[in-house]
Amino acid sequence: MAAKRSVGTLTETDLKEKKVFLRADLNVPLDDNQKITDDNRIRASVPTIKFLMEKGAKVILASHLGRPKGVTPKYSLKPLVPRLTELLGAQVVMANDCIGEEVEKLAASLPNGGVLLLENVRFYKEEEKNDPEFAKKLASVADLYVNDAFGTAHRAHASTEGVTKYLKPAVAGFLMQKLIRVLTAVGIGLSCGAVANPKKPFAAIVGGSKVSTKIGVIESLLAKVDILILGGGMIFTFYKAQGYAVGKSLVEEDKLELAISLIQKAKSKGIVPASSIPDGWMGLDIGPDSIKSFSQTLDTTKTVIWNGPMGVFEFEKFAAGTDAIAKKLAELTAKGVTTIIGGGDSVAAVEKAGLADKMSHISTGGGASLELLEGKTLPGVMALDDA
């Protein structure tokens, strides 16, 4: 894999008075009152924005939020302006659109070090279709491109891939660059997604509610890992496939045969026994035996990737398993094990436990992390200039 050029290679001469189209991942959760409930993605974007501001660039900040169908007020980026302004220490100007005359005027009047936030790029269906004309309009207000949105790197959209055809240089932001560096260090190639040469023993922890959303990941990892640990609601499909009583626990009936085939593939890795669950009861977290078993197994590792919680961690009563795994990984990181946390729920769990800074890398891009582990290409990364 060719390394990608980083924003850090750009000098003040490259950036002063230049308009930079910066694609960030500001897709943060908002409550019913349009208040931000988790600003992790905004904070993660700050180093790149500040670097550009300090070098005298005019920053044109673009992002999506949610999955709007056309212009949808509840998916507007306007609620993000106060927090961005606070974190950057400078007033952020907000446009009512992401293309058009108003955007052109606001971009032209930006002072050196100023920041203009564009409205949600997904208000246009052309964004996700990677329409060349739309990409050209986005790019028309800028001189160069920086992509710091790993969370959308698995999609060839207008603002992540299309604009690179019209703006040069096209470089990775600090967040994107850090992720590329970490993944390369554990032998994951961005061009093919293959987990090639991680430090062994290599473990993957995969959780979440459904097998169906993780089939590709499990099948890909089975061929590469020394240890595969499954948790979360998905395990009950595996348990039922083996004839265990699972009560009212979540089961995907149409995936039972697949579960059996995956179990057979994994026989050489070992099987954790399941106890019977009474009728009417539901499994919502891993128990103390699983925590102990998982922790002892993880003690043998050198590289760990974690995607998906162990239970319904949003509720305190069912967060013990996920918290225990988070603490274990923090402990292992301190001992020199490479730990990569990928996927929204896993990241949220680690943040909730106050252990985010104790991991080797936190990936804010859930979908991109999954697709990378499945062995898929990341077009938003591949479109950037080689170092």
Side-chain angles (χ1 to χ4, degrees), residues 18-78:
K18 297 287 176 63
K19 293 194 279 290
V20 179
F21 190 96
L22 171 58
R23 177 55 159 99
D25 181 8
L26 306 177
N27 184 29
V28 294
L30 302 172
D31 63 19
D32 293 340
N33 298 314
Q34 297 296 92
K35 298 289 183 196
I36 300 165
T37 57
D38 178 359
D39 69 353
N40 181 48
R41 286 180 173 173
I42 298 177
R43 286 185 284 111
S45 301
V46 166
T48 298
I49 303 170
K50 278 197 166 176
F51 174 83
L52 294 169
M53 291 169 71
E54 286 161 7
K55 291 282 189 271
K58 302 172 181 185
V59 183
I60 299 161
L61 190 56
S63 179
H64 74 286
L65 196 153
R67 296 185 177 276
K69 301 292 181 199
V71 178
T72 315
K74 77 169 185 172
Y75 292 122
S76 171
L77 292 177
K78 286 187 175 69

Side-chain angles (χ1 to χ4, degrees), residues 206-211 218 230-257 259-260 263 273-278 281-287 290 309-312 318:
V206 181
S209 58
K210 294 185 176 182
V211 183
I218 294 168
L230 299 183
M234 71 163 72
I235 62 167
F236 297 111
T237 301
F238 288 91
Y239 286 165
K240 184 161 183 181
Q242 294 173 84
Y244 294 121
V246 296
K248 289 173 70 179
S249 302
L250 179 70
V251 171
E252 289 177 277
E253 299 287 345
D254 62 333
K255 295 290 181 287
L256 295 176
E257 282 185 29
I260 286 291
I263 289 165
S275 53
S276 299
I277 297 176
W281 288 67
M282 182 185 286
L284 293 168
D285 195 14
I286 57 171
S290 292
M310 299 292 97
V312 189
F318 309 116

Side-chain angles (χ1 to χ4, degrees), residues 141-217:
V141 293
D143 302 304
L144 59 133
Y145 178 69
V146 176
N147 190 348
D148 213 22
F150 177 71
T152 57
H154 59 309
R155 300 280 183 250
H157 289 171
S159 68
T160 62
E161 199 266 351
V163 292
T164 64
K165 294 175 173 63
Y166 308 102
L167 293 172
K168 291 293 174 190
V171 303
F174 291 124
L175 184 65
M176 180 81 85
Q177 188 63 30
K178 183 184 176 192
L179 186 94
I180 292 170
R181 210 163 40 236
V182 171
L183 294 177
T184 305
V186 296
I188 299 178
L190 298 174
S191 57
C192 60
V195 183
N197 300 302
K199 286 184 191 170
K200 300 269 191 174
F202 174 33
I205 308 167
V206 181
S209 58
K210 294 185 176 182
V211 183
S212 53
T213 59
K214 304 284 171 82
I215 293 167
V217 174

Side-chain angles (χ1 to χ4, degrees), residues 83-160:
R83 186 65 179 134
L84 267 169
T85 295
E86 182 185 350
L87 288 168
L88 297 173
Q91 182 60 50
V92 172
V93 179
M94 174 86 197
N96 292 306
D97 207 332
C98 59
I99 56 171
E101 199 174 319
E102 185 212 16
V103 172
E104 289 165 20
K105 284 179 180 173
L106 288 171
S109 63
L110 264 183
N112 293 347
V115 180
L116 168 64
L117 177 63
L118 303 182
E119 187 52 283
N120 194 336
V121 288
R122 285 193 186 167
F123 281 178
Y124 287 85
K125 62 181 185 299
E126 291 86 351
E127 159 68 2
E128 294 184 77
K129 288 181 178 176
N130 198 6
D131 179 80
E133 283 306 308
F134 180 68
K136 200 172 184 178
K137 286 175 187 174
L138 288 173
S140 68
V141 293
D143 302 304
L144 59 133
Y145 178 69
V146 176
N147 190 348
D148 213 22
F150 177 71
T152 57
H154 59 309
R155 300 280 183 250
H157 289 171
S159 68
T160 62

